[in-house]
Amino acid sequence: MSELLIPRYQYPGGTKPFARRIRALLSADRPAACPVHVGLADPQPLSDTVAISTHAIARHLVEGTAAALPVFNTRPPDALRILTAASWNRPDAFAEEFGDMPADLASGLWSQVDQVCRGRDSLTPPELRAACDLMLRLGYPKRAAEILGMSVTDLDAYRFSPRFAREEMSVLFKFHYDSPRLEQLALDAAADERIDAYARLMLANFIVVRNGKRGTDTPQAHRAAELGKAALASLDDSEPATFLAEHTWLRAVAYLPFLKSDTKATLATLDRAEECLVLGRPSHGTLRLVAWEDHATPLYETLGKTLLIFGQVELAVAATDRLVELNPHDRRTWNLRGRALVAAGRVDEALYAFERMLPLGGLAVAEAAFYLGWVYEQLGKPDLARDHYLLSQRVDPTVDMVDERLKSLPK
């Protein structure tokens, strides 16, 4: 078996597949383990770094200490609240209004956040940033726009606020995901020195990563990389957070040699990103360590995926060793580790990795069950393969590949 042979489990986009997915989750009886994103209950033993970060942002917001929050890197998927609620068979938690969360699901923290955000005119800039970030994390982009006093309808007339450009960009992205105009706005803002240097860096990184994911090596991407480097030079290089900021820039610009299939330059750039990450590790502070782990997770995920593409499978497995240490309750950790282990021919260990996704519950079960089914199929165990494919299909019936594998099994 090799990485080239293992299928990539991919959720189809669009409203119709999403609606089918939700209907299946409502009756699949595979509840998501983490309760943070539906009601802001306390993190549990199976909560990942993103959930812990989200809860911390809410807590600091209501305690009036938002200014003490470190910079986090990762937001959860847009629909996580709805997907989690569906897995609990709680469609009453789908409402678009934050204040409409059912009383038995809304924690005291949730209610406090609602009250704080209703008084947006009295919020300080750090509190406005935290409130906006939190609403985006919990799947309320309209509320995030309201908190910032934004109009999200006319991109042609939009001008970023120097103080809140990063947050405004995050909101606009939710409403204009595929707009070329949005990318041009980000590129223009990345060159605007009236905007905070860290925000300019993030806007520049956005352009580079968007082009990288599309596989397009454009002049705009190279210009954005230059603007990101200039923004970095404006940051206070005595702060550990500056190393984390540089690491995000290096992780982004690694796409440029990657798109040219330049293995040596790509891996050298990611190695430098790892060096910056290590230098940015905080010496104290639990929450700052969580924020550091939130930066480290996507680096080692990127490194592992890149090494797999370049055929360096043992190094890819080693990158997933770090992921397991950093974020053992994230489905991405075990997805990548399982695929890397399959590529390395370590099939028994791959089975264990994919099995670690099952207790996370919710939509992760569909993905895990598919990979388990595929591995069992390669091992000549069609009955176990069928059982897992059927489980995957029960949780999410929208992935045609699962049906295809079921049909290919011997009767």
Side-chain angles (χ1 to χ4, degrees):
M1 284 180 280
S2 73
E3 168 67 14
L4 293 176
L5 295 179
I6 188 168
R8 294 296 298 273
Y9 184 88
Q10 293 182 316
Y11 301 101
T15 56
K16 288 184 178 179
F18 182 74
R20 287 184 68 201
R21 193 170 299 129
I22 293 299
R23 287 195 295 270
L25 276 169
L26 286 167
S27 60
D29 194 26
R30 287 285 177 158
C34 177
V36 169
H37 291 92
V38 181
L40 285 174
D42 291 342
Q44 299 298 309
L46 290 179
S47 294
D48 63 13
T49 299
V50 175
I52 294 168
S53 303
T54 300
H55 193 272
I57 292 168
R59 182 166 47 79
H60 279 264
L61 176 62
V62 302
E63 291 174 356
T65 54
L69 284 167
V71 175
F72 296 105
N73 180 83
T74 312
R75 285 198 183 102
D78 294 347
L80 182 57
R81 169 176 55 88
I82 291 175
L83 291 168
T84 300
S87 76
W88 295 354
N89 193 21
R90 291 300 301 265
D92 51 345
F94 293 176
E96 292 186 7
E97 298 297 329
F98 189 87
D100 290 340
M101 180 63 62
D104 65 319
L105 294 178
S107 67
L109 181 59
W110 186 278
S111 301
Q112 289 174 305
V113 166
D114 191 27
Q115 288 301 313
V116 167
C117 291
R118 290 181 188 277
R120 63 168 297 274
D121 291 340
S122 64
L123 296 181
T124 64
E127 290 168 342
L128 286 168
R129 292 190 186 96
C132 175
D133 188 10
L134 186 61
M135 290 301 124
L136 292 176
R137 286 167 174 265
L138 298 173
Y140 296 98
K142 291 182 181 178
R143 187 73 180 273
E146 291 169 2
I147 287 168
L148 293 179
M150 293 176 62
S151 170
V152 297
T153 56
D154 187 2
L155 280 184
D156 289 333
Y158 200 84
R159 297 293 181 271
F160 283 110
S161 160
R163 181 173 286 182
F164 299 109
R166 183 188 180 209
E167 291 73 26
E168 290 174 0
M169 179 64 189
S170 297
V171 172
L172 290 175
F173 183 68
K174 302 300 181 185
F175 293 94
H176 303 280
Y177 178 83
D178 289 323
S179 172
R181 175 60 183 155
L182 180 61
E183 295 187 31
Q184 187 59 50
L185 273 175
L187 190 61
D188 292 343
D192 187 346
E193 293 189 0
R194 293 172 300 176
I195 292 174
D196 171 78
Y198 187 81
R200 284 188 279 126
L201 173 63
M202 293 300 103
L203 291 164
N205 286 354
F206 167 78
I207 299 297
V208 178
V209 173
R210 288 283 281 179
N211 279 272
K213 288 184 175 180
R214 284 198 298 257
T216 54
D217 185 11
T218 65
Q220 290 81 4
H222 288 267
R223 172 63 176 154
E226 294 171 359
L227 291 171
K229 187 175 183 178
L232 271 174
S234 300
L235 295 175
D236 182 355
D237 61 9
S238 66
E239 291 290 331
T242 303
F243 289 115
L244 293 186
E246 184 174 0
H247 134 269
T248 67
W249 177 75
L250 287 164
R251 181 157 51 87
V253 300
Y255 267 118
L256 300 180
F258 176 80
L259 292 175
K260 298 180 184 297
S261 300
D262 187 337
T263 303
K264 183 177 180 180
T266 302
L267 295 180
T269 304
L270 290 175
D271 283 346
R272 293 202 303 276
E274 185 177 18
E275 290 171 4
C276 288
L277 181 73
V278 171
L279 290 170
R281 184 183 175 97
S283 59
H284 63 280
T286 301
L287 189 56
R288 292 190 179 279
L289 183 58
V290 171
W292 181 84
E293 291 170 346
D294 186 43
H295 282 78
T297 295
L299 172 65
Y300 287 106
E301 184 184 15
T302 298
L303 185 58
K305 288 179 176 179
T306 304
L307 289 164
L308 275 181
I309 291 170
F310 289 152
Q312 299 184 28
V313 294
E314 291 298 340
L315 290 176
V317 172
T320 69
D321 289 342
R322 295 291 289 122
L323 281 175
V324 171
E325 295 170 9
L326 289 162
N327 209 351
H329 307 306
D330 191 319
R331 52 159 285 278
R332 296 171 301 171
T333 291
W334 299 107
N335 175 322
L336 182 57
R337 182 163 179 80
R339 292 191 291 110
L341 288 166
V342 167
R346 296 159 62 176
V347 181
D348 290 342
E349 293 175 78
L351 283 172
Y352 173 76
F354 293 133
E355 285 171 351
R356 287 290 300 268
M357 296 168 68
L358 294 175
L360 302 178
L363 200 58
V365 173
E367 185 177 26
F370 170 77
Y371 283 126
L372 286 165
W374 184 86
V375 173
Y376 280 125
E377 189 178 353
Q378 313 314 305
L379 291 173
K381 299 180 178 181
D383 290 341
L384 283 171
R386 181 177 292 103
D387 290 344
H388 284 88
Y389 286 146
L390 288 171
L391 171 59
S392 179
Q393 199 172 59
R394 188 169 83 244
V395 176
D396 183 356
T398 69
V399 182
D400 292 339
M401 189 189 312
V402 181
D403 188 53
E404 292 169 7
R405 299 312 309 169
L406 276 168
K407 290 178 179 177
S408 72
L409 291 174
K411 303 298 183 183

